[in-house]
Amino acid sequence: MSAITANREGGSAARHGAALDSASAKRPSGPQGAQTSRGLPPAAAVVKRSETDQAALDRLKTAQDAVANATRSFDERLKLRSDALASRLSTAFAEKGIPLDDPVSLRIESGIVVSDSPYRKKIEKMFRDDPELAKEFESVASLKAMRAAQKSLELYNDEKKSARSRDEQEAAYGRYTARMLDIQSLSGVMTLKDGALSSAAEDYMGVMSGATPAATSDPRGEVFKRYGSILRTAA
């Protein structure tokens, strides 16, 4: 090989190597470089949703929440609502400087929430200033009373089935009627204790059905004595 030919080949190789080095320097390395070389966006790129896409996602989430809520039982939904109200009340009481060291009994009376608490005036004003809170209290109390009434009906059906005579059936109906009247009397009463709301109507049915052991031989009187002060306040 002549010296001229060798020099030409060497120069060509040098230029080719320099071109490769330049291309390598411009092309990013690693997975991101591979994506870019294929015309794909970098891995770290943020894809911004359009308003239409976001609205569609929001509608989908709303639909999913509705389906989830529909599959829950009545008791589950009522518990969630009761817990939310208890949390809301606890926060509101704290903001008003109302201590929760002792249980606070509340009753809805003609759309007004009354209390037998030493902080009665503060509590009643709080509900007057927040009609939505009073409305939610009334709704939850009513739903809990409905649940108690349903349990009373279930108890009556069991007693009627086990009745051995017409007299026993009539006696079972008489007890059912008396329970429904009692539930009506207790329907608006709830107590906030330890961050949870309990219903007087449900408490009553727990004792009357035997699900909650009675401490005395007069279970009905026992429950009414428990809520006597708030019932007198409302009267």
Side-chain angles (χ1 to χ4, degrees):
M1 181 185 296
S2 67
I4 294 174
T5 302
N7 287 339
R8 286 177 179 171
E9 290 181 354
S12 176
R15 286 192 300 274
H16 183 63
L20 289 174
D21 291 342
S22 176
S24 298
K26 291 179 180 178
R27 185 171 62 246
S29 60
Q32 184 169 322
Q35 286 183 317
T36 305
S37 67
R38 293 194 297 269
L40 299 175
V46 177
V47 178
K48 186 176 181 180
R49 296 191 186 100
S50 68
E51 292 183 2
T52 302
D53 290 342
Q54 186 60 52
L57 288 173
D58 291 342
R59 288 195 297 271
L60 177 60
K61 185 179 184 305
T62 299
Q64 289 173 331
D65 290 343
V67 170
N69 191 54
T71 57
R72 293 190 182 105
S73 68
F74 175 83
D75 287 349
E76 288 174 325
R77 282 179 284 165
L78 180 55
K79 184 179 186 309
L80 288 172
R81 196 166 171 181
S82 178
D83 289 347
L85 177 58
S87 176
R88 191 174 167 187
L89 286 174
S90 297
T91 299
F93 281 15
E95 290 174 350
K96 299 295 182 182
I98 302 170
L100 291 172
D101 300 331
D102 296 317
V104 178
S105 291
L106 305 161
R107 178 184 174 92
I108 194 79
E109 188 71 26
S110 300
I112 300 172
V113 179
V114 297
S115 174
D116 63 345
S117 165
Y119 297 86
R120 174 180 177 176
K121 290 184 178 180
K122 271 190 174 184
I123 292 173
E124 293 178 2
K125 183 179 185 304
M126 181 188 80
F127 279 102
R128 284 198 304 272
D129 293 343
D130 191 345
E132 286 300 318
L133 183 61
K135 183 178 179 181
E136 180 64 4
F137 180 91
E138 183 175 14
S139 294
V140 172
S142 296
L143 289 170
K144 285 178 177 285
M146 283 175 54
R147 188 68 186 94
Q150 177 63 30
K151 288 182 179 179
S152 179
L153 178 60
E154 291 169 0
L155 178 59
Y156 166 62
N157 287 333
D158 289 341
E159 290 176 336
K160 186 172 65 172
K161 286 178 182 178
S162 61
R164 293 166 296 181
S165 65
R166 186 175 183 83
D167 287 344
E168 288 186 357
Q169 287 183 344
E170 290 179 352
Y173 182 74
R175 290 192 296 272
Y176 168 68
T177 302
R179 287 196 302 268
M180 293 300 288
L181 291 172
D182 286 344
I183 289 170
Q184 179 63 33
S185 298
L186 296 168
S187 62
V189 182
M190 293 199 294
T191 300
L192 182 63
K193 179 182 178 182
D194 298 330
L197 276 171
S198 61
S199 160
E202 288 190 315
D203 186 14
Y204 167 86
M205 268 312 301
V207 173
M208 297 303 289
S209 67
T212 303
T216 67
S217 58
D218 179 18
R220 179 181 181 274
E222 181 181 323
V223 175
F224 272 86
K225 183 178 180 181
R226 197 174 301 163
Y227 298 99
S229 58
I230 183 64
L231 291 172
R232 285 193 297 273
T233 297

